[in-house]
């Protein structure tokens, strides 16, 4: 059959459920004989469709590319003198196409006869849980919720100027000053717990600086930390030198 006069197809990828679906559309569009498929012409139409998909920046599924490889293989086998292998490959492809076509027709008939669009489940009669009998005002529930969080009242939203003011007025504590503090604390006792070392340090900047000081002294091998958690022991090594 002369395929040059046939109309070029322009389906989108989401129209087809798979490569067999695409092949059936090509066969029907070009009125090919499904029992004696002209592989060369079908391959030409199939590759043209794949190229259109790729040109439209569509993700072509691997199964479509595998079918293209299969068609190329059948075409290459048809060029050999012996035709037995070509006939077997074409017969296998025809069988799959016929089986897929029958499945599509059966699914369409079932869809027409048994439509599930209007099937809904009846409303279930769920008994109300009346175990808890008391009723509470919304304010009482809010107070209980805030009490659970450990707060007496909802936090007031902070204004941007308040946040900036806190950052500007926050006291700056140097790590060097806390290194001196840690070494002085250990100079006589030689060892102290982490909890005791941070006792009385309520300012966040001072606590952070003290913690960085401990890390710096451990890095320089002037301190050693034994144990875990707040009860770990901080010991002075080599006299802190």
């Amino acid at each position: 059959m002369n395929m040059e006069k046939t109309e070029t197809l322009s389906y989108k990828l989401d129209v087809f459920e798979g490569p067999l679906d695409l092949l059936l559309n090509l066969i029907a569009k070009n009125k090919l004989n499904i029992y004696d498929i002209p592989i060369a012409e079908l391959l030409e139409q199939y590759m043209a469709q794949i190229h259109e998909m790729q040109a439209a920046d569509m993700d072509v599924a691997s199964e479509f590319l595998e079918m293209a490889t299969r068609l190329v293989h059948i075409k290459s086998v048809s060029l050999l003198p012996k035709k037995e292998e070509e006939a077997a490959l074409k017969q296998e492809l025809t069988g799959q196409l016929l089986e897929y076509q029958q499945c599509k027709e059966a699914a369409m008939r079932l869809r027409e006869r048994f439509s599930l669009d209007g099937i809904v489940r009846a409303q279930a009669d769920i008994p109300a849980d009346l175990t808890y009998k008391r009723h509470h005002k919304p304010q009482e529930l809010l107070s209980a919720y805030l009490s659970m969080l450990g707060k007496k009242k909802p936090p007031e939203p902070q204004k941007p100027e308040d946040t900036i003011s806190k950052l500007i007025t926050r006291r700056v504590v140097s790590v060097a000053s806390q290194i001196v503090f840690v070494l002085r604390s250990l100079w006589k006792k030689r060892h102290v717990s982490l909890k005791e070392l941070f006792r009385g340090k309520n300012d966040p900047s001072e606590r952070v600086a003290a913690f960085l000081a401990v890390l710096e002294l451990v890095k320089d091998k002037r301190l050693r930390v034994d144990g875990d958690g707040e009860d770990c022991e901080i010991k002075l090594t080599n006299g802190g030198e």
Side-chain angles (χ1 to χ4, degrees):
M1 182 176 181
N2 187 4
M3 297 291 297
E4 296 179 355
K5 297 181 180 180
T6 58
E7 180 182 355
T8 302
L9 302 181
S10 58
Y11 293 106
K12 294 183 179 179
L13 181 60
D14 56 1
V15 171
F16 307 110
E17 298 178 359
L20 292 176
D21 194 25
L22 173 56
L23 288 178
L24 283 178
N25 275 273
L26 292 173
I27 291 172
K29 181 69 177 179
N30 296 284
K31 299 179 181 180
L32 301 180
N33 184 2
I34 194 172
Y35 295 97
D36 186 16
I37 303 173
I39 295 296
E41 290 82 349
L42 183 62
L43 175 61
E44 182 181 353
Q45 288 289 321
Y46 187 89
M47 293 306 300
Q49 180 63 43
I50 296 297
H51 292 154
E52 287 185 10
M53 295 176 182
Q54 294 174 339
D57 294 331
M58 293 183 179
D59 293 330
V60 180
S62 59
E63 57 184 356
F64 284 88
L65 301 179
E66 290 175 3
M67 179 58 72
T69 304
R70 183 178 176 184
L71 294 176
V72 171
H73 174 64
I74 297 176
K75 179 182 178 181
S76 62
V77 170
S78 67
L79 302 177
L80 299 176
K82 295 183 179 181
K83 302 297 182 180
E84 292 81 1
E85 184 177 358
E86 177 194 3
L89 294 174
K90 289 176 64 175
Q91 184 178 2
E92 181 183 2
L93 178 60
T94 299
Q96 291 179 347
L97 288 170
L98 291 173
E99 183 178 357
Y100 180 78
Q101 188 178 42
Q102 292 174 357
C103 291
K104 282 192 65 176
E105 292 175 355
M108 186 178 300
R109 292 175 184 175
L110 290 174
R111 192 181 301 114
E112 293 174 353
R113 292 187 59 184
F114 305 101
S115 177
L116 300 179
D117 295 338
I119 300 178
V120 294
R121 190 183 68 174
Q123 183 176 357
D125 186 13
I126 302 176
D129 185 5
L130 303 177
T131 304
Y132 192 81
K133 303 292 185 179
R134 296 185 59 187
H135 297 276
H136 300 276
K137 296 181 179 180
Q139 187 60 36
E140 293 177 343
L141 296 175
L142 177 60
S143 299
Y145 173 72
L146 295 176
S147 177
M148 179 186 66
L149 296 179
K151 302 176 182 179
K152 294 183 179 180
K153 60 180 181 179
E156 297 181 357
Q158 292 185 347
K159 299 179 181 179
E161 54 268 21
D162 295 338
T163 305
I164 296 175
S165 177
K166 289 181 180 179
L167 292 175
I168 295 175
T169 57
R170 181 169 295 176
R171 185 165 67 96
V172 179
V173 180
S174 66
V175 178
S177 66
Q178 294 305 303
I179 290 178
V180 175
F181 164 76
V182 173
L183 291 176
R184 285 180 177 176
S185 301
L186 294 170
W187 192 258
K188 294 181 180 181
K189 296 184 179 181
R190 297 293 172 176
H191 63 85
V192 66
S193 67
L194 183 65
K195 184 189 298 183
E196 182 180 353
L197 183 66
F198 280 81
R199 185 174 297 151
K201 293 185 177 295
N202 299 321
D203 183 73
S205 298
E206 189 177 10
R207 292 175 66 88
V208 171
F211 182 72
L212 293 176
V214 171
L215 295 180
E216 189 67 27
L217 290 171
V218 170
K219 178 183 176 182
D220 293 341
K221 299 182 180 180
R222 301 168 72 180
L223 294 183
R224 188 180 70 191
V225 179
D226 295 331
D228 298 320
E230 295 182 351
D231 296 326
C232 66
E233 292 288 331
I234 299 178
K235 299 181 180 180
L236 194 66
T237 59
N238 299 328
E241 297 295 334

